[in-house]
Amino acid sequence: MTTNRYARPPLADGVPDLVATARGDKAATLVIRNATLVNVCSGELQERISVAVQGARIAYVGKNADALIGPDTEVIEAEGRYLAPGFLDGHCHIESTQLTVTGFAEAVLPLGTTGGFFDPHEITNVLGLPGLRLMLDEARGTPLAAYMQVPSCVPSTGPELETSGAFIGPDEVTEAFTWGPDMIALGEVMNFPGVVYGDPKMLGEIQATLRAGRSVDGHFTWPSDDPRLAAYAAAGVTGDHECTTADDVIERVRLGMYAKMRRGSAWHDVAETIKAHTERRIDTRRMMLVTDDRSSESLKDEGHMDFVLRHAIQQGVNPVTAIQMATINTAERFGVARDVGAVIPGAFADMVLLDGPLADVRVALTVAAGQVVARDGRLTAELTPYAYPEAAVRSVHLAHEVRPDDFRIAAPIGAGTLRARVIEVRENHVETRERQESVAVAGGFVKLDPAGGLCKIAVIERHRGTGSQSVGLVSKIGFHRPAAIAMTVAHDSHNLLVIGNDDGLMAEAANRVAALNGGVAVVTEDGADEFPLPVAGLMSDAPFDTVAEQSRGISRALQQAGCTMNYAFMTLSLLALVVIPELRISDKGLVRISADGFAKVSLFVEG
């Protein structure tokens, strides 16, 4: 049996050695000398501070650690540079980076992220509890302080609205919390109408979580002044990332919830939400910075939590306050501030050394679990590849080979025009708009004008080969030539999503993705670009640089076809997420999200 060199033992196990080190009777394993400490507990900068580490935890923080240095102690001279806690992502889906947990660690450790609170509802929608367990086991072998959440909404709504690959209910939630203290919370409760109106499954999952002494995360997209937010909070939901305005943040904080402000690849909410502090002067103790979803490409181009911190600081947030929002606030929200989120005695030694002005958040060195894991933007940790089982890498099961005729839209008239509901995509926003447009009908089927700006969008069930599928219409994709994209990354049920303006190319793209055992394909008359994602049809186990370049290839192919949205793939992958307003599509049809909840609607408008 191999020993995990990045193991994170409970504090109680290390108390004798930590105390002995702090009093000078046992040499530290690592000492960082003469740093300017970003003290997130007091909100101040402390000069000439030294930190001594014993194993995975901090033993001493003070003015002089020279007496704690032995012949085998690793000594790092900070030379006055800033020393901050390792950054924590308070809401993130690792699968959305297109990387496995190991690949994610490879990507973010050099950027200063040493841990996070991860909701693996993507892989769990495909593989169920076994998929969640795979993510947990892989995470435990990395240097990350990786806390996993039990996905609450598998499927995100119910079987009448979408087909998922698995089911999670109260019994599954109860079981998952027996796996260890790093199973930290119930993941975002997207079926908020179910909570408000007493759905037994949703309330049962929350009750199982509370009985296990864990937290409940939220996802509430009704307006912030909706009185039903109080009912949601009364159920025990204490954190929410669906904040897009300052009012959203303020109303949640007023109810005792933690408001999570996200800056993902394609949803840019921090600039507005941070005004709750910069303009409205709300106390920041319950405000958190998170990513939610960032692609490997954007991790490479922009960064991870370091990028979110820089962005918040650019909006006028004091750098120390911003760092609090990505460290101690996050740790306190999940009840683990004794272990992570601050550079204090007894905590895990998760730290970053920063070059230059603090506002630049330029990470020079990362320490995780007491070991240097990255220097000058390069990973130094030894990461062991994780072997996924056969069931996880062969998860695409279609009823038949996809045909161009599968994308024909039958009309209730033989010829003429009809009013149809259209999903309107919004760049850099998670929500869509519902629009009505006139479409032509000939021979009993909808005929799209290639220059008209509309595309077809289809979702094909891919978990059990049931043949369930639907076809709708979408606008603002931007294709100016015959083109199609197909992907098995289609939040949250992750069926096969196909978008295009040419039925033949749509079929080709879909079949290419199936042949890859999951991934993305963009097809035009000039050829195809492919991005294999064989792990549950969501992730690649290739190295980070390889995955980022493959993701970039898809972006280039979309741009060449006319789809120029910022990180377009991320936005398109959400069009099947039937819990975000206003109009979405699943394999069961169009779904509208309104003040009354979720409901299927017809493609054609009556009257």
Side-chain angles (χ1 to χ4, degrees):
M1 181 177 177
T2 59
T3 301
N4 180 8
R5 62 178 299 187
Y6 302 111
R8 293 173 173 268
L11 175 58
D13 293 355
V15 164
D17 286 342
L18 290 170
V19 172
T21 301
R23 70 171 182 257
D25 291 341
K26 186 178 178 68
T29 53
L30 171 69
V31 169
I32 299 178
R33 288 198 295 199
N34 190 28
T36 300
L37 178 64
V38 181
N39 193 318
V40 295
C41 297
S42 61
E44 62 182 329
L45 299 174
Q46 294 179 270
E47 296 182 348
R48 297 182 298 279
I49 295 296
S50 294
V51 177
V53 175
Q54 182 59 247
R57 291 184 179 266
I58 297 170
Y60 169 87
V61 180
K63 289 291 186 181
N64 193 340
D66 289 352
L68 311 183
I69 297 174
D72 297 323
T73 304
E74 181 178 3
V75 180
I76 296 171
E77 301 293 349
E79 300 176 329
R81 289 178 292 179
Y82 294 102
L83 182 68
F87 308 141
L88 301 171
D89 193 339
H91 183 75
C92 173
H93 308 287
I94 290 177
E95 306 98 310
S96 291
T97 67
Q98 304 142 342
L99 301 160
T100 62
V101 186
T102 304
F104 177 77
E106 178 189 354
V108 303
L109 285 168
L111 303 174
T113 298
T114 57
F117 301 84
F118 306 116
D119 185 351
H121 67 206
E122 321 299 359
I123 195 171
T124 308
N125 265 283
V126 178
L127 301 175
L129 277 189
L132 171 59
R133 186 65 199 232
L134 289 171
M135 293 282 281
L136 177 66
D137 289 346
E138 182 179 10
R140 286 172 173 171
T142 74
L144 292 170
Y147 297 93
M148 292 291 172
Q149 298 176 296
V150 187
S152 64
C153 294
V154 178
S156 64
T157 51
E160 71 282 359
L161 295 182
E162 58 184 325
T163 303
S164 179
F167 174 83
I168 297 292
D171 291 343
E172 289 78 12
V173 171
T174 299
E175 178 186 339
F177 283 134
T178 67
W179 296 348
D182 46 357
M183 291 302 309
I184 197 71
L186 186 67
E188 56 179 298
V189 183
M190 295 180 286
N191 189 357
F192 52 93
V195 175
V196 170
Y197 292 111
D199 176 80
K201 172 184 178 292
M202 298 315 306
L203 295 187
E205 290 182 10
I206 291 174
Q207 288 174 299
T209 301
L210 298 177
R211 291 184 180 119
R214 306 306 211 279
S215 302
V216 181
D217 250 1
H219 172 120
F220 186 92
T221 64
W222 282 331
S224 58
D225 59 354
D226 192 308
R228 289 171 293 187
L229 180 60
Y232 195 57
V237 180
T238 50
D240 188 9
H241 67 283
E242 288 297 330
C243 300
T244 60
T245 68
D247 285 334
D248 289 343
V249 171
I250 292 168
E251 291 304 319
R252 284 156 177 76
V253 170
R254 284 173 173 169
L255 294 178
M257 300 172 74
Y258 281 82
K260 304 182 182 186
M261 302 169 293
R262 65 184 164 198
R263 182 62 155 82
S265 298
W267 18 105
H268 301 175
D269 297 326
V270 169
E272 286 300 318
T273 55
I274 203 68
K275 292 177 183 177
H277 165 61
T278 57
E279 296 182 4
R280 311 273 290 274
R281 301 301 174 189
I282 290 294
D283 192 295
T284 60
R285 287 174 298 170
R286 290 179 181 266
M287 296 173 65
M288 297 162 52
L289 294 170
V290 304
T291 66
D292 197 358
D293 295 302
R294 290 191 72 75
S295 68
S296 56
E297 182 185 357
S298 62
L299 289 177
K300 191 75 172 178
D301 292 344
E302 298 174 333
H304 190 239
M305 290 304 298
D306 61 321
F307 170 74
V308 181
L309 281 164
R310 283 190 293 272
H311 177 63
I313 293 167
Q314 290 164 2
Q315 309 311 308
V317 181
N318 177 279
V320 175
T321 302
I323 291 172
Q324 288 174 321
M325 293 179 185
T327 56
I328 192 168
N329 292 10
T330 305
E332 288 179 342
R333 183 268 175 279
F334 289 100
V336 290
R338 177 69 273 173
D339 285 335
V340 294
V343 179
I344 55 175
F348 285 122
D350 296 340
M351 302 173 284
V352 293
L353 202 58
L354 304 173
D355 278 340
L358 186 58
D360 290 353
V361 197
R362 193 160 71 244
V363 178
L365 180 139
T366 306
V367 175
Q371 299 185 54
V372 176
V373 294
R375 290 180 185 269
D376 300 320
R378 293 176 53 253
L379 186 75
T380 59
E382 297 178 9
L383 303 183
T384 302
Y386 186 81
Y388 276 83
E390 183 76 3
V393 296
R394 295 193 178 276
S395 64
V396 179
H397 308 288
L398 301 181
H400 54 76
E401 184 176 88
V402 181
R403 303 175 295 263
D405 285 355
D406 291 327
F407 302 108
R408 296 201 302 176
I409 300 175
I413 61 175
T417 61
L418 289 171
R419 298 289 291 174
R421 292 184 172 89
V422 175
I423 302 169
E424 182 183 284
V425 178
R426 301 185 66 208
E427 185 175 19
N428 294 331
H429 291 272
V430 295
E431 67 271 17
T432 65
R433 289 198 176 107
E434 178 180 337
R435 290 286 182 260
Q436 294 183 11
E437 296 196 24
S438 294
V439 294
V441 176
F445 294 96
V446 170
K447 300 295 182 183
L448 296 185
D449 178 359
L454 291 184
C455 285
K456 292 180 180 178
I457 179 170
V459 177
I460 304 170
E461 192 276 326
R462 63 101 165 177
H463 302 295
R464 303 181 186 89
T466 64
S468 175
Q469 69 174 66
S470 69
V471 185
L473 299 171
V474 62
S475 68
K476 301 295 181 71
I477 300 299
F479 288 155
H480 54 58
R481 56 190 295 206
I485 180 172
M487 63 188 84
T488 47
V489 179
H491 303 275
D492 272 335
S493 287
H494 296 292
N495 288 302
L496 179 58
L497 175 66
V498 190
I499 302 169
N501 56 12
D502 181 283
D503 293 353
L505 295 180
M506 291 175 72
E508 181 181 345
N511 290 321
R512 283 179 175 271
V513 168
L516 293 173
N517 286 311
V520 190
V522 176
V523 180
T524 67
E525 294 169 320
D526 295 331
D529 288 84
E530 297 180 346
F531 182 8
L533 296 171
V535 180
L538 303 170
M539 297 174 285
S540 170
D541 56 2
F544 167 49
D545 285 343
T546 300
V547 177
E549 187 52 39
Q550 290 174 326
S551 178
R552 197 184 313 281
I554 294 299
S555 293
R556 283 195 297 262
L558 285 170
Q559 289 168 359
Q560 290 167 3
C563 182
T564 59
M565 283 184 289
N566 178 53
Y567 295 117
F569 168 74
M570 299 294 284
T571 298
L572 300 181
S573 71
L574 291 182
L575 295 180
L577 181 50
V578 297
V579 294
I580 295 183
E582 295 177 347
L583 189 65
R584 305 277 158 161
I585 188 170
S586 76
D587 65 301
K588 298 296 182 70
L590 289 176
V591 179
R592 176 191 288 150
I593 303 88
S594 68
D596 297 322
F598 314 129
K600 289 176 64 176
V601 295
S602 62
L603 173 61
F604 299 112
V605 180
E606 297 180 1

